[in-house]
């Protein structure tokens, strides 16, 4: 602007960046906290001798509570920050369905707001249809089930105690429960059909006694009065003691958070100049929202302080959030009590080892979750599963003078020890996490599949196979990878790929691992068909290894499992064990196979730790919910901000820039803040909000909306020419008899003002009766995948249908699952569906063959 108009009096950049310091205004700021940290450093004195010195370094941090305070005052985000535990059976579509969310006391909501008013745990309710019923229901816990707000309640009634005729509340207990046990009989209630009992406050003051109803109608009361405060699910004593103005109690919002920690380079070369950082994401947001850049919030970043040095301040603040803090809620338009427990921490394996007080992958016991030792392991897959788990009590013992474990474990030398040092425990400074009631270091550091799988087992297998291949075979493999043609993947390897360089990144391994089973099968059938028997046998071993590996990644990289989640976990566990067997097999067939380190693949901790994936799947959700790739991509923005500072105090300057971006978005979203002078709650005026509504391009231009995190998991479903997929006919009976169509899009045309999609239809080839089928699919015997023939790489073989072409109105068809359709090398005119593509295998296992468009069923 100044160049175009020399007379323009523009403010200096320094004045603009420090506007709030020079000009009195009401623009809110994200409050940054500065904390002096004492660290030990090593320096050489004038004589050249190394000395240990103490130095005070300032830590600049946005406390998690400061971020949560603004998020819950943001009307765009506030309603999505809390979620009840979801007990929908045998499914996992979000973190709310994980065992931790359903069982951890701090994740349970003490109250809910319904159409019939606010209900608290411990309240007495009665049915809307029978408000004068003698049967009462005392609320115990809240949750959702298939979208309905539910509650577990104890059946109760008002009675008189036979011994003294005092009025009491009798709580029902099962007949097989001892009189002294406080175990009550719960029933599920749909809260839409219940309302608060008119005399709820009076009923709360009465003594509570458990009772057992005998088959002859007699009632036996407990001898001891039930102490309601000791009930593990009753929170009235804790939360109702904080009254707001008037006669009402403050509402409570439970806002769980996830943390991410990593290091990044401050240089354009992405080497050296390491900065450690911590960032935060609201845990209750849906997966696609958590994966957006604007919902990742930087807490602190520092060059001279490690992530563990910064952890103490974060833990102290989260500890206060566990107790509850008063914040303004944009949804309820009032102050509420906000409780923010920590769900899990995402990081790579090295960072997780630090946080788990573990010595790392090179220790005698390299697993942070159990006492696995490759030096004492037998070549048996069961060595990875039948092991003793590490516990929180072990880490608690680490902080005491008597640092011994509750377990006695056999060491590699054959001796037995319970010394925490011998069992690879280490004081790292992360013992501070023991202060959190919602966090367990041995359970809440979930397996991170980018580093454990793609940059672990996948990388080792790819590099080992490339080392085994000769120059001609490597060239043929490279040609296949370069020319692989499919619309199913978001990116291609490209003509610049050089296999021999072996310089791949995580997204390259994601593409290669999905394509290699198809490519190796084609090479074995064509280019490698004339090789010597012994060499061909080894290459077939590589095919088996990459086939089972492809099936595993196809299952792992899924965000939602709508049905059969227990079977999904079992299937993943089966595939992990099978992969371990095939890796051991290929190592015995080819003695030269090894990774870049001193260990062979079967002894690496990254292969072993995949055997714990089933535990995290049950505790949280599918593994993609705690993949670190989006956090790694966030490092790019941290690095860019570092490069735009003067490098004098990059930690403070980077936080300042992120804080300004955060508050800018908070204001234009209509978020509330407290005026510095009047302390009143204010928000942006109507003019700003109207401008944002009428100018949707503002966000992409000024808020980085055009620079979202990259999706390397190929999860987008867009209609485009040449794309193959399973489609759902929306005109069929979707609920009871849906019709699925396997087809590729030939063209999308507009006729008479309506869009039509022309499809080339394919259908799989059924097994003939009594034909031998592959093992491992017995859980879904009538599925598309289990009922039809496959090639040696376990890919489904399909053939063009008759008729081949059909046309559908675009609005009457829905794309369900994008597939990678490739020519079948062994059958002319036929094709194969790549079972290694992310999500494809599970989709084919979930769809019944009777619901697929096939000519023999028409």
């Amino acid at each position: 602007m100044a160049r175009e108009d020399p007379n323009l009096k523009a403010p200096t950049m320094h004045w603009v960046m420090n506007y709030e310091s020079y000009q009195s205004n009401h623009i809110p700021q994200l409050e940054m906290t500065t904390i002096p940290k004492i660290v030990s450093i090593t320096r050489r004195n004038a004589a050249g001798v190394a000395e240990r010195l103490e130095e005070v370094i300032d830590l600049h941090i946005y406390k998690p509570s400061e971020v949560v305070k603004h998020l819950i005052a943001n009307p765009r985000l506030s309603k999505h920050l809390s979620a009840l535990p979801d007990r929908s059976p045998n499914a996992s579509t979000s973190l709310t369905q994980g065992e931790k969310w359903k069982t951890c006391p701090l994740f349970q909501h003490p109250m809910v707001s319904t159409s019939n008013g606010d209900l608290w745990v411990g309240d007495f309710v009665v049915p809307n249809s029978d408000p004068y019923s003698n049967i009462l229901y005392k609320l115990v816990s809240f949750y959702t089930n298939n979208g309905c707000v539910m509650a577990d309640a104890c059946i109760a009634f008002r009675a008189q105690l036979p011994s003294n005729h005092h009025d009491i509340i009798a709580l029902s207990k099962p007949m097989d429960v001892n009189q002294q046990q406080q175990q009550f009989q719960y029933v599920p209630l749909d809260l839409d059909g219940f309302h608060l009992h008119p005399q709820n406050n009076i009923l709360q003051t009465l003594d509570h006694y458990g009772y057992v109803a005998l088959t002859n109608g007699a009632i036996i009361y407990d001898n001891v009065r039930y102490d309601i405060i000791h009930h593990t699910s009753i929170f009235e004593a804790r939360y109702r003691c904080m009254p707001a103005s008037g006669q009402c109690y403050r509402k409570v919002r439970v806002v769980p958070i996830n943390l991410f920690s990593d290091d990044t380079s401050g240089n354009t070369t992405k080497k050296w100049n390491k900065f450690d950082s911590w960032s935060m994401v609201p845990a209750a947001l849906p997966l696609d929202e958590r994966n957006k850049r604007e919902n990742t919030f930087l807490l602190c970043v520092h060059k001279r302080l490690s992530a563990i040095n910064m952890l103490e301040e974060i833990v102290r603040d989260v500890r206060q959030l566990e107790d509850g803090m008063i914040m303004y809620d944009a949804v309820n338009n009032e102050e509420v009590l906000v409780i923010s427990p920590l769900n899990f921490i995402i990081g790579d394996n090295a960072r997780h080892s630090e946080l788990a007080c573990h010595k790392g992958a090179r220790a005698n016991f390299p697993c942070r979750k159990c006492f696995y030792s490759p030096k004492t392991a037998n070549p048996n897959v069961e060595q990875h599963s039948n092991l003793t788990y590490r516990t929180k009590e072990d880490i608690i013992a680490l902080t005491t003078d008597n640092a011994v474990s509750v377990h006695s474990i056999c060491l590699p030398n054959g001796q037995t020890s319970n010394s925490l040092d011998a069992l690879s425990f280490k004081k790292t400074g992360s013992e501070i996490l023991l202060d959190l009631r919602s966090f367990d270091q041995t359970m809440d550091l979930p397996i991170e599949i980018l580093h454990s799988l793609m940059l672990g087992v996948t990388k080792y297998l790819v590099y080992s196979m490339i080392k085994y291949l000769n120059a001609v075979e490597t060239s043929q493999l490279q040609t296949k990878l370069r020319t692989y043609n499919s619309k199913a993947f978001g990116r291609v390897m490209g003509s610049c790929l050089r296999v021999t360089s072996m310089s791949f990144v995580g997204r390259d391994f994601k593409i290669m691992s999905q394509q290699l089973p198809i490519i190796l099968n084609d090479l074995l059938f064509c280019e490698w068909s004339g090789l010597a028997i012994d060499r061909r046998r080894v290459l077939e071993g590589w095919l088996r290894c990459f086939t089972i590996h492809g099936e595993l990644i196809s299952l792992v990289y899924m965000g939602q499992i709508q049905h059969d989640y227990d079977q999904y976990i079992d299937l993943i566990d089966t595939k992990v064990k099978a992969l371990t067997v095939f890796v051991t097999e290929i190592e015995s067939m080819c003695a030269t196979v090894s990774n870049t380190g001193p260990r062979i693949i079967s002894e690496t901790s990254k292969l072993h730790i995949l055997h714990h994936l089933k535990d995290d799947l049950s505790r949280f959700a599918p593994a993609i919910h705690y993949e670190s790739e989006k956090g790694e991509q966030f490092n790019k923005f941290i690095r860019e901000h570092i490069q735009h500072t003067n490098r004098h105090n990059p930690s403070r300057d980077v936080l300042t820039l992120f804080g300004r971006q955060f508050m800018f978005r908070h204001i234009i979203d209509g978020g509330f803040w407290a005026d510095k002078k009047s302390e009143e709650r204010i928000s942006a005026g109507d003019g700003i909000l109207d401008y944002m509504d009428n100018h949707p391009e503002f966000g992409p231009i000024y808020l980085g909306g055009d620079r979202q995190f990259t999706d390397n998991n190929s999860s987008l479903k867009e209609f485009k020419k040449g794309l193959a997929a399973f489609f759902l006919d929306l005109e069929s009976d979707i609920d009871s008899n849906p019709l699925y169509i396997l087809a590729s899009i030939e063209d999308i045309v507009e006729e008479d003002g309506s869009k039509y999609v022309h499809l080339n239809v394919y259908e799989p080839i059924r097994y003939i009766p009594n034909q031998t089928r592959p093992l491992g699919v017995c859980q879904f015997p009538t599925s598309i995948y289990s009922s039809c023939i496959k090639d040696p790489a376990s890919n489904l073989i399909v053939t063009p249908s008759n008729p081949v072409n059909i046309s559908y109105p675009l609005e009457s068809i829905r794309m369900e699952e994008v597939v990678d359709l490739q020519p079948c090398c062994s059958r002319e005119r036929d094709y194969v569906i790549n079972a290694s593509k992310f999500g494809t295998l599970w989709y084919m296992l979930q769809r019944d063959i009777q619901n697929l468009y096939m000519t023999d069923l028409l």
Side-chain angles (χ1 to χ4, degrees):
M1 294 172 62
R3 295 191 189 99
E4 296 175 358
D5 185 2
N7 297 322
L8 177 66
K9 294 183 179 180
T12 63
M13 182 59 68
H14 186 271
W15 193 91
V16 172
M17 296 299 292
N18 295 276
Y19 173 77
E20 69 277 0
S21 300
Y22 297 147
Q23 188 76 15
S24 177
N25 64 85
H26 300 286
I27 298 176
Q29 301 178 53
L30 199 62
E31 183 179 349
M32 183 187 300
T33 303
T34 301
I35 302 165
K37 302 286 291 185
I38 300 177
V39 296
S40 297
I41 60 173
T42 301
R43 287 182 178 173
R44 295 188 179 276
N45 57 20
V49 180
E51 294 181 339
R52 297 287 291 178
L53 303 174
E54 288 188 347
E55 183 177 357
V56 178
I57 299 176
D58 285 340
L59 168 63
H60 306 282
I61 182 174
Y62 291 135
K63 292 183 178 181
S65 59
E66 178 70 9
V67 178
V68 172
K69 179 180 72 174
H70 287 85
L71 294 180
I72 204 165
N74 186 329
R76 180 181 66 88
L77 283 175
S78 183
K79 59 185 177 182
H80 303 295
L81 298 178
S82 297
L84 290 169
D86 188 349
R87 298 186 191 175
S88 300
N90 212 5
S92 182
T93 59
S94 67
L95 294 173
T96 60
Q97 293 172 289
E99 287 300 317
K100 178 173 182 177
W101 207 294
K102 292 188 287 188
T103 59
C104 180
L106 285 174
F107 284 74
Q108 312 312 306
H109 292 228
M111 57 84 62
V112 295
S113 297
T114 69
S115 57
N116 296 321
D118 294 342
L119 297 176
W120 290 75
V121 168
D123 280 345
F124 289 93
V125 297
V126 290
N128 295 338
S129 59
D130 189 9
Y132 302 103
S133 172
N134 293 327
I135 302 298
L136 308 175
Y137 298 91
K138 188 174 182 66
L139 301 179
V140 175
S141 63
F142 302 111
Y143 59 94
T144 61
N145 191 333
N146 294 322
C148 299
V149 179
M150 307 285 291
D152 276 345
C154 184
I155 301 175
F157 65 90
R158 191 168 181 172
Q160 287 188 340
L161 200 64
S163 59
N164 53 22
H165 302 289
H166 287 173
D167 285 346
I168 64 167
I169 295 295
L171 303 175
S172 174
K173 297 171 66 174
M175 290 184 60
D176 57 348
V177 173
N178 186 281
Q179 280 189 297
Q180 304 305 318
Q181 292 179 337
Q182 292 184 349
Q183 179 179 340
F184 297 101
Q185 186 173 0
Y186 300 145
V187 295
L189 304 180
D190 187 339
L191 291 182
D192 285 340
F194 292 81
H195 66 271
L196 192 67
H197 193 282
Q199 296 182 329
N200 177 64
N201 292 335
I202 297 176
L203 297 176
Q204 297 281 2
T205 62
L206 299 179
D207 291 339
H208 290 53
Y209 284 81
Y211 76 91
V212 175
L214 303 180
T215 55
N216 60 5
I219 294 179
I220 300 178
Y221 293 95
D222 288 347
N223 298 325
V224 181
R225 178 174 61 89
Y226 171 58
D227 189 356
I228 193 171
I229 298 201
H230 292 120
H231 196 292
T232 57
S233 297
I234 300 262
F235 296 89
E236 308 100 310
R238 178 175 174 187
Y239 296 111
R240 288 197 167 191
C241 64
M242 305 184 70
S245 58
Q247 301 297 320
C248 300
Y249 297 99
R250 283 194 177 98
K251 294 184 178 183
V252 179
R253 296 283 305 275
V254 179
V255 184
I257 60 174
N258 300 331
L259 294 178
F260 172 77
S261 180
D262 196 20
D263 56 69
T264 185
S265 169
N267 298 339
T268 56
T269 59
K270 302 181 183 179
K271 296 181 179 179
W272 306 292
N273 196 24
K274 186 181 80 169
F275 283 77
D276 273 335
S277 66
W278 284 91
S279 56
M280 184 194 89
V281 178
L285 292 177
L287 178 61
D288 57 344
E289 290 294 321
R290 293 205 309 274
N291 286 343
K292 290 183 178 179
R293 174 190 171 190
E294 62 263 26
N295 293 329
T296 300
F297 309 103
L298 183 66
L299 299 179
C300 54
V301 58
H302 214 286
K303 178 181 178 179
R304 300 184 62 188
L305 294 176
S306 69
I308 303 300
N309 293 142
M310 297 183 277
L311 178 63
E312 181 179 0
E313 307 308 322
I314 296 175
V315 170
R316 286 179 179 174
D317 191 66
V318 174
R319 182 67 182 83
Q320 294 180 14
L321 284 171
E322 287 184 340
D323 289 336
M325 301 177 71
I326 303 300
M327 299 179 185
Y328 181 80
D329 180 14
V331 173
N332 295 295
N333 197 27
E334 62 179 327
E335 287 188 338
V336 299
L337 182 69
V338 176
I339 301 165
S340 289
L342 177 57
N343 192 28
F344 54 66
I345 299 177
I346 305 175
D348 57 24
N349 288 309
R351 181 57 46 83
H352 275 171
S353 290
E354 284 184 294
L355 295 173
C357 298
H358 181 248
K359 290 184 177 180
R362 295 187 178 275
N364 287 333
F365 296 93
C367 179
R368 66 178 182 271
K369 288 181 172 286
C370 73
F371 296 104
Y372 162 75
S373 177
K375 298 180 181 180
T376 59
N378 299 317
N380 188 332
V381 69
E382 296 302 323
Q383 61 164 330
H384 295 280
S385 52
N386 298 328
L387 295 166
T388 303
Y389 278 68
R390 299 174 186 265
T391 64
K392 190 174 184 177
E393 286 69 27
D394 292 329
I395 301 178
I396 293 175
L398 188 66
T399 63
T400 64
D401 295 333
N402 185 24
V404 295
S405 171
V406 296
H407 311 290
S408 294
I409 305 298
C410 182
L411 301 177
N413 59 11
Q415 298 180 353
T416 300
S417 175
N418 62 353
S419 166
L420 291 175
D421 180 69
L423 299 180
S424 302
F425 283 97
K426 175 185 177 182
K427 284 188 177 181
T428 62
S430 57
E431 306 89 65
I432 188 70
L433 286 167
L434 293 171
D435 292 346
L436 299 179
R437 298 190 302 276
S438 61
F439 191 79
D440 187 334
Q441 292 155 273
T442 62
M443 301 175 68
D444 297 333
L445 299 170
I447 308 303
E448 202 285 302
I449 53 177
L450 175 63
H451 292 87
S452 298
L453 188 55
M454 289 301 165
L455 296 177
V457 177
T458 305
K459 182 177 75 172
Y460 302 156
L461 288 174
V462 170
Y463 285 0
S464 298
M465 184 186 68
I466 292 174
K467 288 180 181 179
Y468 177 78
L469 300 178
N470 59 38
V472 175
E473 294 165 347
T474 302
S475 177
Q476 292 168 339
L477 175 63
Q478 178 172 282
T479 301
K480 289 282 188 180
L481 285 169
R482 286 181 174 181
T483 58
Y484 197 96
N485 183 23
S486 176
K487 299 283 187 180
F489 302 106
R491 59 186 297 272
V492 295
M493 299 302 295
S495 59
C496 60
L497 172 71
R498 291 184 60 83
V499 171
T500 53
S501 68
M502 293 194 295
S503 57
F504 307 120
V505 294
R507 62 177 180 266
D508 296 328
F509 288 114
K510 283 188 175 183
I511 298 297
M512 293 176 64
S513 58
Q514 295 176 81
Q515 297 177 353
L516 277 174
I518 292 280
I519 291 174
L520 292 177
N521 187 52
D522 288 353
L523 288 171
L524 282 166
F525 188 81
C526 300
E527 288 88 340
W528 297 348
S529 59
L531 296 177
I533 295 177
D534 290 343
R535 186 163 188 83
R536 183 176 172 82
R537 183 172 59 87
V538 176
L539 293 174
E540 288 174 347
W542 281 114
L543 173 61
R544 290 192 295 273
C545 199
F546 276 102
T547 296
I548 198 68
H549 172 271
E551 294 175 352
L552 174 62
I553 63 172
S554 178
L555 293 169
V556 165
Y557 277 90
M558 296 188 63
Q560 295 186 343
I561 306 299
Q562 303 285 354
H563 309 284
D564 300 323
Y565 190 57
D566 293 338
Q567 291 86 336
Y568 170 82
I569 296 176
D570 292 341
L571 189 57
I572 283 186
D573 190 42
T574 300
K575 297 300 180 184
V576 170
K577 291 179 180 179
L579 178 62
T580 305
V581 171
F582 283 118
V583 166
T584 306
E585 176 186 294
I586 195 63
E587 287 175 344
S588 64
M589 294 172 63
C590 179
T592 60
V593 173
S594 64
N595 61 355
T596 54
R599 300 178 179 178
I600 57 178
I601 302 173
S602 60
E603 293 183 357
T604 59
S605 60
K606 289 186 177 181
L607 177 61
H608 162 76
I609 208 167
L610 293 178
H611 289 264
H612 293 292
L613 188 57
K614 62 181 185 297
D615 301 324
D616 293 331
L617 294 175
S618 298
R619 186 166 176 80
F620 300 112
I624 201 171
H625 285 259
Y626 32 91
E627 185 191 24
S628 69
E629 185 174 38
K630 298 302 183 289
E632 298 277 358
Q633 293 182 25
F634 187 68
N635 289 339
K636 172 179 65 176
F637 301 104
I638 298 177
R639 183 164 53 252
E640 289 179 355
H641 281 65
I642 292 173
Q643 294 165 6
H644 284 85
T645 68
N646 58 14
R647 306 298 180 103
H648 291 173
N649 196 342
S651 302
R652 181 198 62 197
D653 296 342
V654 167
L655 272 189
T656 300
L657 291 172
F658 273 98
R660 287 172 179 160
Q661 292 174 1
F662 175 88
M663 291 309 302
F664 184 42
R665 184 180 293 277
H666 179 76
I667 293 172
I668 65 176
D669 280 345
F672 293 87
W673 70 90
D675 182 77
K676 294 180 180 179
K677 296 181 179 180
S678 65
E679 296 297 327
E680 294 181 358
R681 293 285 170 182
I682 57 177
S683 62
D686 294 338
I688 293 178
L689 301 180
D690 291 342
Y691 180 87
M692 295 303 301
D693 291 338
N694 297 325
H695 295 80
E697 73 281 359
F698 185 90
I701 295 176
Y702 294 101
L703 298 175
D706 59 339
R707 301 189 63 200
Q708 286 294 343
F709 296 145
T710 304
D711 177 23
N712 292 317
N713 299 329
S714 304
S715 58
L716 298 179
K717 300 174 183 177
E718 299 178 352
F719 280 83
K720 56 184 177 181
K721 188 176 179 179
L723 185 69
F726 283 99
F727 299 90
L728 173 61
D729 184 350
L730 298 178
E731 296 179 354
S732 63
D733 187 353
I734 298 178
D735 296 328
S736 60
N737 191 26
L739 178 61
Y740 298 97
I741 305 166
L742 173 60
S744 62
I745 300 176
E746 181 182 15
D747 201 2
I748 302 175
V749 298
E750 187 168 346
E751 300 175 4
D752 300 328
S754 300
K755 286 188 176 182
Y756 288 82
V757 56
H758 298 316
L759 303 176
N760 292 330
V761 182
Y762 303 88
E763 56 184 66
I765 305 171
R766 290 172 178 263
Y767 284 111
I768 61 176
N770 300 323
Q771 184 175 0
T772 302
R773 306 186 183 191
L775 298 177
V777 294
C778 56
Q779 292 173 304
F780 312 94
T782 63
S783 69
I784 296 173
Y785 188 75
S786 305
S787 304
C788 303
I789 66 172
K790 290 166 276 292
D791 70 358
S794 296
N795 300 308
L796 196 70
I797 300 177
V798 298
T799 188
S801 181
N802 186 18
V804 177
N805 307 107
I806 59 175
S807 180
Y808 269 92
L810 194 59
E811 65 273 7
S812 65
I813 193 170
R814 184 174 72 202
M815 187 181 296
E816 289 276 295
E817 179 68 25
V818 176
V819 299
D820 177 24
L821 193 66
Q822 295 294 318
C824 181
C825 60
S826 59
R827 299 168 68 103
E828 190 177 356
R829 292 186 67 252
D830 288 345
Y831 296 81
V832 294
I833 297 178
N834 186 357
S836 298
K837 183 192 173 296
F838 295 161
T840 297
L841 176 59
W842 182 252
Y843 183 87
M844 293 191 294
L845 288 172
Q846 286 287 287
R847 298 298 176 267
D848 196 289
I849 189 66
Q850 300 297 326
N851 296 121
L852 185 66
Y853 180 96
M854 298 184 69
T855 53
D856 61 341
L857 297 178
L858 297 179

